[in-house]
Amino acid sequence: MSLALGLAIILALAALGMPLFAVIAAVALLGFHLAGYDLVVVAVEFYRLGDMPGLIAIPLFTLAGYLLGESAAPKRLVRLSNALLGWLPGGLAIVAIVACAFFTAFTGASGVTIVALGALLYPALRQAGYSERYSLGLVTSAGSLGLLFAPSLPLIVYGFVAGQVGGETPVTIPDLFLAGLVPGLLMVAMLSAHAMWVGRGIPRARHRFDAGELALSLRECAWELPLPLIVLGGIYSGELAASEAAAVTALYVLVVTVLIKKEIRLRSLPGVMAESMRMVGAILLILGAALALSNWLVDQEVPTTLFEALREHVDSPWVFLGLLNLFLLVVGMLLDIFSAIVILTPLLLPVAAGFGIHPVHLGVVMLANLQLGYFTPPVGMNLFIAAYRFNKPIGTLVRACLPFFLILGLAVALLTWWPGLSLGLL
């Protein structure tokens, strides 16, 4: 069987609904078979996942995020954000932006944010006087904010895959956590500025600052507020590795939600854990298959060939980054973020290195672009989740998200061509 015929058959099966991990594994198996390798090399990649110590951070942070989602933490977070920011013009919209960013960073799943916070924020925005289109667009698009903040799962997955690829400049998860901070804050700030402009003429969209309410909400969130300090403080103090910080975070959240707050009953705990591990299982299946495919691509010198072909037409790193943005935007429209990361990172890292682009900056650019794919048709996951959650047509949500797409697209352009935003804290 030729490579072209094999790929045609695999694409046909994919069109009929074959799972993505199976498509990736099939391409890897076909490539290694035609290259004359023993096909056990694909199975070895799945086995190797068990020997990679940093990988344990993924299921542990995922479990912590799902436990937070099942508890009353979203309500407490919204109340605290409202007490801090609700007095500003457009304050409630800013509350929605900040709450979604914080919650997505810890759950690692944009859809979970829409489900957990959407029921609170959408009715509140409508009651405060915001239009239906703005409210829908804000909640749907803000669900993807937070993917650049620690301990975001996409950041961890990129760091893990980039570490396996190797290179002259090492990529560490702590560096990625730092690199995503300023770009993530830039996106939050730009959306907040837009919210203040929209809310300037809506009297009901703000309230007086109430020190008593702030004190009550701070007391109510007393157990959640230490979480960023546990993750970032533990890692950057040198006391904890990323996997150890994940273990401490998961244990802390488990104790708080089950034993202290008692918002998750013991009999419900296995269900929550199983739901979180289903997401982890999907990520690991894709990761193992993609690592096998990446090895075949590297063996066939595809990154080198791709770089040489690009050098014939592109000689500027700035032009390359511009083309990369367009490419990643298209990829984000068609693939989920985890699949895109594990498939593209081994291809793009060597090419970007050839243009002198720092691999950490490349990671931030990749995630920022793929973040837009969450609410971009045809397969933007947030669009479908929001359509189900709010019982609205997809077309309505696409139109509602357009202004937010343009604002975040401008932020992506800024952080792409201004590497200091990503690398300034390293």
Side-chain angles (χ1 to χ4, degrees):
M1 179 187 295
S2 67
L3 180 61
L5 177 59
L7 289 176
I9 294 173
I10 293 170
L11 289 174
L13 291 173
L16 294 174
M18 187 165 73
L20 181 61
F21 80 90
V23 173
I24 299 170
V27 174
L29 287 167
L30 175 64
F32 280 119
H33 171 70
L34 294 177
Y37 290 91
D38 190 329
L39 297 186
V40 75
V41 297
V42 176
V44 167
E45 292 303 324
F46 285 91
Y47 180 79
R48 277 205 311 130
L49 289 176
D51 285 334
M52 298 175 180
L55 196 67
I56 193 65
I58 294 177
L60 290 172
F61 276 130
T62 303
L63 174 60
Y66 270 76
L67 289 170
L68 287 173
E70 289 295 320
S71 71
K75 293 182 180 179
R76 291 192 291 271
L77 176 61
V78 170
R79 182 182 179 184
L80 175 59
S81 301
N82 196 37
L84 282 169
L85 305 168
W87 57 273
L88 292 168
L92 185 59
I94 298 173
V95 167
I97 293 165
V98 172
C100 287
F102 179 89
F103 199 72
T104 301
F106 272 90
T107 61
S110 182
V112 175
T113 299
I114 294 176
V115 172
L117 295 181
L120 300 173
L121 295 172
Y122 176 68
L125 288 165
R126 295 289 292 125
Q127 188 175 4
Y130 290 95
S131 68
E132 179 184 64
R133 175 174 289 192
Y134 179 82
S135 302
L136 286 172
L138 178 65
V139 175
T140 304
S141 57
S144 65
L145 287 176
L147 295 181
L148 291 176
F149 294 130
S152 160
L153 284 183
L155 273 176
I156 295 172
V157 172
Y158 175 83
F160 177 79
V161 177
Q164 299 303 306
V165 174
E168 294 184 4
T169 305
V171 179
T172 66
I173 291 175
D175 282 350
L176 287 168
F177 283 176
L178 275 181
L181 184 59
V182 174
L185 290 174
L186 173 66
M187 292 183 173
V188 170
M190 291 179 69
L191 285 182
S192 297
H194 179 248
M196 293 177 71
W197 182 81
V198 170
R200 71 194 188 285
I202 308 176
R204 288 178 293 163
R206 59 193 295 189
H207 60 72
R208 290 180 178 272
F209 178 77
D210 187 338
E213 170 64 13
L214 176 59
L216 287 173
S217 59
L218 281 170
R219 189 179 305 134
E220 196 176 52
C221 285
W223 290 103
E224 284 83 11
L225 291 177
L227 279 172
L229 296 177
I230 292 173
V231 176
L232 299 178
I235 291 175
Y236 293 115
S237 68
E239 297 296 326
L240 299 174
S243 56
E244 294 168 337
V248 172
T249 301
L251 178 61
Y252 179 86
V253 172
L254 180 66
V255 170
V256 170
T257 56
V258 177
L259 300 180
I260 297 176
K261 293 285 189 178
K262 297 182 179 179
E263 293 169 343
I264 299 177
R265 297 182 179 181
L266 281 173
R267 65 171 177 266
S268 303
L269 187 58
V272 177
M273 297 175 74
E275 186 66 28
S276 67
M277 290 309 105
R278 274 191 281 272
M279 179 179 176
V280 172
I283 294 173
L284 294 184
L285 278 173
I286 294 171
L287 187 57
L291 287 176
L293 176 61
S294 300
N295 284 344
W296 173 68
L297 292 173
V298 171
D299 180 75
Q300 299 300 306
E301 298 184 345
V302 173
T304 302
T305 304
L306 180 61
F307 174 68
E308 291 174 352
L310 275 172
R311 289 291 288 184
E312 293 181 5
H313 307 284
V314 178
D315 56 5
S316 166
W318 310 113
V319 176
F320 167 75
L321 286 171
L323 294 174
L324 180 63
N325 275 356
L326 295 175
F327 172 69
L328 290 172
L329 183 58
V330 173
V331 170
M333 294 178 183
L334 302 174
L335 286 179
D336 71 273
I337 193 168
F338 295 107
S339 305
I341 290 170
V342 295
I343 293 171
L344 295 179
T345 300
L347 283 175
L348 295 177
L349 265 180
V351 177
F355 284 100
I357 297 168
H358 198 288
V360 171
H361 179 53
L362 174 69
V364 172
V365 171
M366 280 186 64
L367 296 183
N369 277 282
L370 295 173
Q371 173 181 310
L372 298 178
Y374 267 116
F375 56 96
T376 306
V379 294
M381 183 178 68
N382 282 11
L383 295 175
F384 294 96
I385 294 174
Y388 174 78
R389 185 69 185 82
F390 305 121
N391 194 26
K392 300 293 181 182
I394 292 290
T396 299
L397 290 166
V398 171
R399 290 189 293 273
C401 289
L402 181 59
F404 302 94
F405 180 88
L406 295 175
I407 294 169
L408 292 177
L410 176 59
V412 170
L414 287 173
L415 67 90
T416 297
W417 285 297
W418 190 357
L421 291 174
S422 304
L423 305 178
L425 296 179
L426 300 187

